[in-house]
Amino acid sequence: MPDRILSLLDHARSGGMLADDDIHLLAEQAPLAALLGTAEAMTLAGHGRSVGYSRKVFIPLTRLCRNTCGYCTFATTPGRVPSAYLSADEVLAIARAGVAAGCHEALFTLGERPESRYRAARDALAALGHDSTIGYLAEMAALVQRETGLLPHVNPGTMDADEIALLRPMSASMGIMLESSSTRLCERGGPHWKCEDKLPGVRLDTLRRAGELGVPMTTGILIGIGETRRERIDSLLALRELHRRYGHLQEIIVQNFRAKPGTVMAGAEEPALDDHAWTIAMARLVFGAAMSIQAPPNLRPGELEALLRAGINDWGGISPVTLDHVNPEAAWPQIDALAAETALHGRQLRLRLPLVPSYVREAARWVPAPIATALLRRADASGFARPDDWLAGTGTPPSAAALQPFARRAAAMSSTASAPVSAPLRAAIERAEQGRTLGEDDIVRLFDAHGDELHAVIDAADRLRRQTVGEAVSHVRNCNINYTNICQHRCGFCAFAKSHAASTLRGPAYRLDAAQVAARAEEAWLRGATEVCMQGGIHPHYTGDSYLELLAAVKQATPAMHIHAFSPLEIRHGAATLGLPLRDYLIRLRDAGLRTLPGTAAEILDDEVRALICADKLDTAQWLEVMEIAHEVGIRSTATIMFGHVEEPRHWARHLLAIRALQARTGGFTEFVPLPFVHMESPLWHKGGARSGPTLREAVLMHAVARLVLHPLIPNIQTSWVKMGATGAALCLQAGANDLGGTLMYESITRAAGGANGQSMETGDLRAIAASCGRPLQQRSTLYEVLPQNAAGLPLTGGSPPPDSDPRRMIALHSSA
């Protein structure tokens, strides 16, 4: 192979964009095997092992069309259909069948501008109150969205700017196949002869207008209709030029022509599989690793491996309800069978929404607010459709469908065969087990684990947990006191904080004085608590002395109680109001009785995310600064992450790496606590700006990946029964977690967000969660010292926690336990 060809393929594989001439050179000279190998590597780099599909219904609004393409059986004449257009009732009946079958998308297929050719179409539109097919389409798309919740994807053909603008408010996405940029195909005898809407310039103009209006578009080419390979490349390059200018081509379809009886091209030769694979590979090289490239699986039954190896990352729309109206002879594959065949070739089938995942993650940019909200609420952190109905904090146990991936894990564990895991994922797990720092891409890969790879990540985390801290499930008897919900900050995710006069959401504004806080602490001590956790809003009248007063009151009422209090935000507020450096103020708090800090206010330690959810709060560097200084003066802390709102897995990776880096310097974190976002009463969610919390898979994986990434520096991974519920917490205990947190008397922050798991959990309930995993329950102190038990195996409480010790010595102690 010439050096120039090798160099170009290496450049593409490493993420470089190829010039037009270079693309043509590869198309003419590169061996097929080299093209396919490069395209597959690029696809795996851009999309991992995931292969998307959209579960949809096809609504053939009209089969009348003014064009007469030589290969089409969809378009027909008025005398061959019961009516020119589907009625509203017929449209809704199809849509409702789709909802019943679990679809997210309503794909409107239709002919182009039949009213310009058929009087029957004009009369039917007039009776429906419209003068254009596109006007009626807009009404029906809005009706389907309003009445069924399905998200419309519309394929009306060529459009002017006003028509695109008309359809945009009720369309999650739009589509128009370029098919080919070759004007030669529009000449006499060609497949597009006398098809004015198939003139390449007209179709490219529609795509250009959509780009100018910021509308996400699906497009692509149809191969095998008489074009040459060079013309295919020219078509792909014409699309790339538009995408470079506007960034609006969400996916490229490479569809193979199928000869159909009764058409002009009934006897034409269909493209061979190698020819199709070559074109897919060239499309990948033209558009790069990130573009979503699809081919319809029903047009290549039994030949899907070749399409995957060529660069496909998506199978497009598949309907469990309606046939493929454009290719009615080609039945859709059963989705379970497609998943199995996809898995057979080392990939994972994943349900997506009408927008491909990368566009869902930027939904606010691409679609109107109501549709962006609907997309976000149905999406997971990667932009795919949520695969389960589990919601953090609701108190509703996971459904059988949500538990299915973990049930399969049990079956896999009973087998002697090793799970098929990709080499990069296996390498990342091995590095984590060795205690080495992982890279951001490695961590994102761990979070992307599905199927057998999910099992591998969970198993590795559980192994590390067993080796590091043993079998016991620990917990602390504690009391949560949220002394005020009045806060001068306006974090978008928070349903707890109120203004002075607030009376909305979950209760009015309040403030407990120091005596009330002390009384609650004393009550908790008498009930066996060894820790009091105090946090509140940033009250505008609080100063640094306010926090010192709370410490003094609790210390006087319960001298032996461990005081775990004040987030880094409160620490900064207290120091600023007294004009003290952070170090001096933390020393004053320590000397007044503060023993440890909660790791809250961290949310996501990435300022890109913080700008969206808590712009007026402390930034990442400020949070880390408070923690580092606290550790240096002998105050240890927890570390948390609040996930499942607007962030992506790469932000999770950055957060974990920031925590690990600080722990490597100070050794001051006692535990890491994943906190799934509870969305129900969140202002940001109500405004349509956040997802509906993490999926069950994401929540469990967060515990597993944290165990791997933070090993061996942070030995304790806590799962929140308040957020996860009993069943979810048990799953996390089998995925790297070793701690159930506290009994949390008076817990109120999660309840303010809409949580329903209660204010407290008795020891017996926690023991039942541990026992469901075959593990014993052990009471601990805040600093993870084991507390003694009586003869009946019950914890002895009411005593003083052991004295503080050097945090680095504590890590060594925990790691050897």
Side-chain angles (χ1 to χ4, degrees), residues 432-770:
E433 290 175 324
Q434 295 163 5
R436 295 161 60 187
T437 301
L438 298 183
E440 183 178 314
D441 289 344
D442 287 332
I443 300 172
V444 171
R445 185 174 288 113
L446 292 173
F447 279 121
D448 193 45
H450 290 77
D452 291 323
E453 294 198 331
L454 171 66
H455 310 159
V457 171
I458 287 175
D459 289 345
D462 202 40
R463 252 190 335 269
L464 273 186
R465 182 271 307 162
R466 190 178 303 112
Q467 295 166 8
T468 304
V469 293
E471 292 292 338
V473 175
S474 55
H475 80 291
V476 63
R477 286 193 64 82
N478 69 347
C479 167
N480 239 40
I481 303 177
N482 305 121
Y483 39 80
T484 183
N485 64 352
I486 297 171
C487 187
Q488 64 189 24
H489 293 277
R490 290 293 174 266
C491 300
F493 60 84
C494 182
F496 172 74
K498 308 286 190 295
S499 66
H500 275 290
S503 60
T504 58
L505 298 177
R506 296 203 164 220
Y510 71 85
R511 174 183 176 181
L512 303 179
D513 61 29
Q516 291 171 304
V517 170
R520 288 196 177 188
E522 185 174 14
E523 178 192 352
W525 177 260
L526 295 175
R527 292 174 59 185
T530 61
E531 170 196 304
V532 60
C533 176
M534 297 190 295
Q535 298 179 90
I538 305 300
H539 196 293
H541 297 161
Y542 275 18
T543 69
D545 287 332
S546 305
Y547 304 116
L548 290 165
E549 290 167 8
L550 290 172
L551 287 174
V554 172
K555 199 69 179 172
Q556 182 176 5
T558 56
M561 182 78 86
H562 181 110
I563 302 178
H564 178 69
F566 312 137
S567 72
L569 184 62
E570 291 169 287
I571 299 295
R572 291 191 68 88
H573 176 73
T577 57
L578 297 181
L580 291 175
L582 282 172
R583 183 179 300 275
D584 292 352
Y585 186 57
L586 280 162
I587 290 172
R588 287 188 62 180
L589 292 170
R590 181 199 65 191
D591 292 347
L594 180 64
R595 303 286 296 283
T596 53
L597 297 183
T600 49
E603 292 32 290
I604 299 291
L605 293 176
D606 187 285
D607 290 335
E608 181 181 328
V609 176
R610 301 182 80 81
L612 299 175
I613 66 172
C614 53
D616 66 342
K617 206 170 186 176
L618 78 177
D619 62 25
T620 296
Q622 290 169 334
W623 189 94
L624 292 168
E625 180 189 26
V626 172
M627 287 302 189
E628 184 155 16
I629 295 172
H631 297 171
E632 289 171 354
V633 303
I635 301 173
R636 291 198 290 280
S637 69
T638 63
T640 67
I641 184 171
M642 194 268 288
F643 64 104
H645 36 87
V646 305
E647 82 296 354
E648 301 172 21
R650 62 190 172 92
H651 299 120
W652 300 342
R654 294 170 187 173
H655 183 107
L656 289 171
L657 288 172
I659 294 296
R660 181 182 173 97
L662 180 54
Q663 183 73 345
R665 294 197 300 273
T666 69
F669 291 122
T670 57
E671 64 198 317
F672 183 76
V673 189
L675 299 172
F677 173 53
V678 177
H679 72 281
M680 288 79 76
E681 297 293 344
S682 165
L684 186 63
W685 184 84
H686 278 283
K687 293 175 182 177
R691 301 192 303 278
S692 298
T695 67
L696 183 62
R697 172 192 152 275
E698 291 169 342
V700 174
L701 257 182
M702 180 62 74
H703 295 74
V705 175
R707 169 66 67 187
L708 293 169
V709 173
L710 300 176
H711 175 73
L713 300 180
I714 300 181
N716 300 299
I717 306 297
Q718 181 184 123
T719 184
S720 168
W721 59 262
V722 177
K723 316 283 189 183
M724 295 297 304
T727 304
L731 287 173
C732 294
L733 289 176
Q734 299 170 77
N738 66 293
D739 187 77
L740 281 170
T743 50
L744 295 181
M745 307 167 198
Y746 313 122
E747 195 284 327
S748 58
I749 292 177
T750 299
R751 289 185 299 116
N757 281 325
Q759 293 188 62
S760 66
M761 179 80 79
E762 293 302 321
T763 301
D765 299 319
L766 296 176
R767 183 174 290 107
I769 295 174

Side-chain angles (χ1 to χ4, degrees), residues 51-74:
V51 180
Y53 82 100
S54 179
R55 194 179 182 101
K56 64 178 69 173
V57 288
F58 288 72
I59 302 178
L61 191 64
T62 179
R63 290 184 57 197
L64 305 183
C65 183
R66 71 176 178 180
N67 301 308
T68 56
C69 299
Y71 45 78
C72 180
T73 58
F74 176 76

